[in-house]
Amino acid sequence: MGRPRLGARSVQEFVLMPGNRYGRRALAVGGVAALGLALGIWWSWSPGEVNSSQEMTELLPAAWQAPFRARDEGPVQRNSILAAMESCGPVPVVEKFRTRDPAVFTIYELDNRARVQVAAVRLAPEDRSPVQDALRSSTHCQRPASPERGATAWTKVARPWFGEASALFRTSDTDLAADSAANSMVNAGPVWSFTMSGQWLVAIGGYRTSVETVAWVYPQLLGRWDREVGTHFLAPGESRSDCGSPGLDDLPTGALRESERMMLASVHDLACRGQVDVLRSLPSVPLIVDNGFATEVDIGDPAEFARTMETRAVHRNGAISFRQGDSALVFSTLRPGGELRPAWDAYVQRCSTATALAARMCGPDPYGPLGGADWSTVLADTGCEPDSDLGAIRQAVFQDVTGDGQGDAILGLFCDAGGGPGRGEVRIYDGASPPESPALIQSLLREDPGPLGTGLLPVALTTNGPDLTVESHGWREFGAPDVLVIDRFRWQDGGFAPVAREVRYPG
């Protein structure tokens, strides 16, 4: 008979057979060899070497690699990125982008005209510790206004971020007009992030977008660096500061547009930096305060204002509300996200002792039931463009003008009326009607050609008891200042009757 054949199980039993020391030794030697092979493979792997700007560029996402669209790099992009970050970025950090090599400068286009600028540079060994210290110790920056532009402010934000050392900034431009607070503007600017890992330093600037969007695209920009170069750009890190962020994370999807989120962040940052003069120029006129309406507001401690905005925001009936202790802040969402000024409607510092009008702003339903109406559907017959960048509603005031105790909706609209007169309109809806089908009480100015025959655009609504004041712009030829038209109405016999009109020509 021939020797019996052994299967895999029989081989194992033979090797482990009691007394078979040779089998055990063979198994041990084989195990050590396999472990050695694995260790050899691990030991032989090393991160890829990056020695040129071209190799750095190849580590970044390609054009049309979602969510990115076009990708551009070159001398123009380099100069643009350097000029932007040098306006207020940490000096010891920004200096390396201009002086060190290799470096890369790339600009990506996102959806909705958002843009992301990316710069990366390799640091010299002696640069690493100073750059790391500069990122951690950097703080807010303010550049004064110039003849060409307003003041530029960078607010360092306290937030969990990425990398071994990080500094995250929200920026804004402010123009505090000397002649009139009503002409002052705050424009939310880009988000800038500076992050270091080992010998690499990266800056990311997000334009027309919020911190949340920059945080979303960040891993997609730098994930390949970590995988192929051995950096730790995606490791959990932190940007340290005394300024946080508005509590907007729990708002339902669609409650705020990106531009509105950025504007609220700018208001918070103004308060955090203590810029009370600019804050005073921003409210709706009049603002609802503890004792009712006011054209001037005592901000009090701006740090308390900022901390109130860092509480969890509530979105209900057309309002974003913040509540801390006995104080409430209310912002209207029925105003355009593209406007330069936020729609700050109420600041009640003592809800428990406020007048009835102000105390209503402290509750969960500050604007009454009409605030939650589907206005894009309600206004479909006006010719407005619901998907336009600014939206149809330019101003919204919720106040009882009919005397039935319900907050009526007074809306200032900008609509396309076929290119002729009547581009602007003011509509008054009955607060006692259901939000599913608001009842139109009256329309004002829709067919009014204005003093120049080009129609009117309502830009400000003010109510005082039975009186309504509407400020509108009348268009002149291209490039010329608009005419300001001030119409005053009074509620009587179930509608607003005209009382007076004032026309102010520029110059």
Side-chain angles (χ1 to χ4, degrees):
M1 296 179 59
R3 177 178 290 179
R5 300 178 63 185
L6 297 177
R9 179 177 178 84
S10 301
V11 171
Q12 184 179 16
E13 290 172 348
F14 172 77
V15 170
L16 299 179
M17 186 180 297
N20 191 346
R21 64 175 184 229
Y22 299 107
R24 288 196 184 91
R25 183 176 299 173
L27 183 62
V29 171
V32 171
L35 179 60
L37 178 62
L39 287 173
I41 294 173
W42 173 82
W43 188 261
S44 64
W45 181 89
S46 62
E49 288 291 329
V50 178
N51 298 306
S52 68
S53 298
Q54 179 62 35
E55 291 173 320
M56 295 170 65
T57 302
E58 291 173 356
L59 291 170
L60 294 171
W64 293 99
Q65 180 178 327
F68 308 106
R69 291 179 176 268
R71 185 180 89 167
D72 298 300
E73 59 263 342
V76 173
Q77 286 72 28
R78 177 184 184 276
N79 293 337
S80 173
I81 294 173
L82 285 173
M85 69 170 69
E86 284 175 347
S87 66
C88 229
V91 174
V93 177
V94 174
E95 180 187 41
K96 305 307 172 188
F97 288 99
R98 182 173 288 280
T99 60
R100 295 301 307 170
D101 189 67
V104 64
F105 300 87
T106 305
I107 298 180
Y108 290 94
E109 297 291 335
L110 301 176
D111 291 330
N112 301 322
R113 291 182 291 170
R115 191 161 40 110
V116 175
Q117 297 185 345
V118 184
V121 65
R122 184 166 62 189
L123 301 172
E126 63 271 17
D127 292 336
R128 298 177 194 176
S129 180
V131 166
Q132 189 175 69
D133 292 342
L135 290 174
R136 291 173 175 167
S137 63
S138 60
T139 184
H140 318 309
C141 169
Q142 177 82 23
R143 291 285 183 267
S146 65
E148 297 79 20
R149 58 181 301 173
T152 297
W154 285 38
T155 303
K156 192 178 184 186
V157 180
R159 181 186 170 110
W161 203 243
F162 305 91
E164 298 163 18
S166 295
L168 175 65
F169 297 88
R170 279 191 299 259
T171 77
S172 58
D173 295 325
T174 60
D175 183 4
L176 187 59
D179 58 340
S180 171
N183 294 325
S184 301
M185 298 182 297
V186 172
N187 186 21
V191 174
W192 275 100
S193 163
F194 300 89
T195 312
M196 176 182 167
S197 179
Q199 63 177 327
W200 299 102
L201 174 65
V202 168
I204 297 177
Y207 286 73
R208 296 181 61 89
T209 190
S210 64
V211 168
E212 290 72 21
T213 298
V214 174
W216 174 63
V217 301
Y218 183 103
Q220 301 172 73
L221 287 169
L222 299 177
R224 191 174 173 188
W225 283 77
D226 281 10
R227 293 191 301 270
E228 299 188 18
V229 182
T231 54
H232 299 91
F233 280 119
L234 304 193
E238 181 183 8
S239 174
R240 303 173 186 174
S241 174
D242 57 348
C243 280
S245 297
L248 307 175
D249 292 343
D250 295 330
L251 293 180
T253 302
L256 282 179
R257 285 180 273 185
E258 189 93 324
S259 54
E260 291 171 325
R261 184 179 291 269
M262 293 168 63
M263 281 195 298
L264 287 174
S266 291
V267 174
H268 165 274
D269 295 347
L270 286 170
C272 189
R273 295 195 308 269
Q275 291 187 260
V276 177
D277 54 343
V278 185
L279 274 178
R280 286 199 183 102
S281 73
L282 297 179
S284 302
V285 180
L287 181 75
I288 297 177
V289 296
D290 298 59
N291 57 352
F293 289 115
T295 55
E296 296 289 336
V297 57
D298 180 11
I299 302 295
D301 182 3
E304 281 298 311
F305 189 106
R307 282 192 287 269
T308 300
M309 291 195 70
E310 291 173 13
T311 62
R312 179 177 176 271
V314 175
H315 176 251
R316 190 173 290 113
N317 284 341
I320 297 291
S321 302
F322 301 91
R323 183 72 186 266
Q324 176 180 249
D326 202 29
S327 297
L329 268 167
V330 178
F331 296 84
S332 172
T333 61
L334 292 182
R335 308 229 182 138
E339 290 280 30
L340 295 177
R341 66 173 60 245
W344 171 20
D345 286 351
Y347 184 32
V348 184
Q349 300 185 53
R350 290 168 293 276
C351 293
S352 57
T353 59
T355 63
L357 173 66
R360 188 179 71 197
M361 307 304 287
C362 299
D365 193 9
Y367 292 154
L370 281 192
D374 182 1
W375 290 110
S376 61
T377 300
V378 173
L379 301 175
D381 66 330
T382 64
C384 301
E385 294 291 338
D387 295 328
S388 67
D389 196 36
L390 298 183
I393 301 175
R394 300 305 173 90
Q395 279 272 329
V397 175
F398 293 85
Q399 185 180 340
D400 178 20
V401 295
T402 60
D404 59 5
Q406 302 292 329
D408 305 299
I410 306 174
L411 308 181
L413 310 178
F414 178 39
C415 305
D416 180 7
R423 299 179 189 177
E425 182 179 5
V426 176
R427 286 195 166 198
I428 300 93
Y429 288 87
D430 187 357
S433 60
E436 295 79 15
S437 55
L440 178 64
I441 297 176
Q442 191 176 8
S443 172
L444 303 172
L445 304 182
R446 180 175 176 84
E447 303 300 332
D448 194 323
L452 302 178
T454 56
L456 295 172
L457 167 60
V459 294
L461 306 174
T462 305
T463 57
N464 184 11
D467 295 327
L468 168 65
T469 300
V470 181
E471 295 185 23
S472 305
H473 284 171
W475 289 274
R476 295 165 64 89
E477 62 272 14
F478 180 77
D482 295 337
V483 173
L484 178 63
V485 180
I486 302 174
D487 286 296
R488 294 178 174 85
F489 302 89
R490 177 160 295 169
W491 183 265
Q492 57 188 36
D493 299 327
F496 281 108
V499 174
R501 166 170 286 185
E502 179 184 357
V503 180
R504 297 179 184 176
Y505 291 92

